[in-house]
Each structure stands twice: as C-alpha cells, then as structure tokens.
C-alpha cells in the first residue's frame, strides 16, 4: 500500500502520481531553442508526461520524465523544439 508521502502532484495534473523518473530509456530527446520560444504553452499542454514547466518568458524542460515521444515537437507552432538523439550535441537544433 502506498503512503501519503509516496505520492506527489504531477506537473500538469491535479491528481497525484508516483514520483518515479522514467526518461532513462529514451532514444531521442527534445531540445529547446529559446530564441524561437514565445511561451505559447502548446508543449506544456500536449506533453503526456508533464515534462514542461511554465516560465516567465519561455518554458523549461524536465528530461527526467521525457520518453522522447515527439508530441511536443509536433505541436510547437514556432518550431522551437527539435528531437535529437540521446547523447548527441544540442547544436544540431541551431543548424536548422
């Protein structure tokens, strides 16, 4: 049985969820180009894992829970997100 301390509120959810990291097995990960982000929050809204946090001017990304599904990249209207292979250099995003 889970104790009250074993649960926390999910990043985008009003219901409790287990606080277990799940992003260690992904093959690709999103990277954010801050110059293109206008804080529209589409990524925050559509991310099934709640990996995005609303910021003052741009979103921030918590890769501990990211599974690399790419939904955030598909939903970003400004193309501020791109998927790169896990362990690769983030500079690939800026070369688009």
């Amino acid at each position: 049985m889970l104790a009250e301390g074993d649960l926390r509120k999910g990043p985008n959810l009003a219901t409790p969820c287990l606080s277990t990291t799940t992003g260690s097995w992904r093959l690709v990960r999103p990277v954010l180009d801050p110059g293109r982000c206008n804080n529209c929050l589409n990524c925050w809204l559509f991310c099934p894992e709640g990996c995005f946090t609303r910021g003052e001017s741009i979103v921030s990304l918590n890769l501990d829970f990211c599974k690399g599904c790419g939904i955030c990249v598909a939903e970003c209207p400004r193309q501020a997100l791109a998927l790169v292979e896990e362990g690769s250099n983030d500079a690939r995003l800026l070369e688009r």
Side-chain angles (χ1 to χ4, degrees):
M1 184 64 96
L2 293 174
E4 183 68 30
D6 294 336
L7 298 176
R8 66 172 180 77
K9 292 198 183 282
N12 297 340
L13 306 172
T15 57
C17 64
L18 293 175
S19 60
T20 308
T21 59
T22 57
S24 61
W25 52 267
R26 70 179 168 268
L27 300 176
V28 293
R29 63 185 165 86
V31 290
L32 177 69
D33 181 350
R36 292 183 183 210
C37 181
N38 68 347
N39 210 21
C40 71
L41 302 178
N42 275 5
C43 54
W44 176 82
L45 180 65
F46 287 101
C47 178
E49 302 303 324
C51 297
F52 292 89
T53 305
R54 293 183 283 180
E56 188 70 27
S57 59
I58 63 170
V59 294
S60 61
L61 178 60
N62 182 350
L63 292 174
D64 289 342
F65 302 100
C66 177
K67 293 177 176 57
C69 68
I71 293 173
C72 58
V73 175
E75 294 298 331
C76 182
R78 307 260 331 246
Q79 298 179 329
L81 291 162
L83 287 178
V84 297
E85 291 181 18
E86 191 62 50
S88 68
N89 188 349
D90 290 356
R92 278 184 37 189
L93 172 64
L94 303 176
E95 293 171 1
R96 293 189 281 149

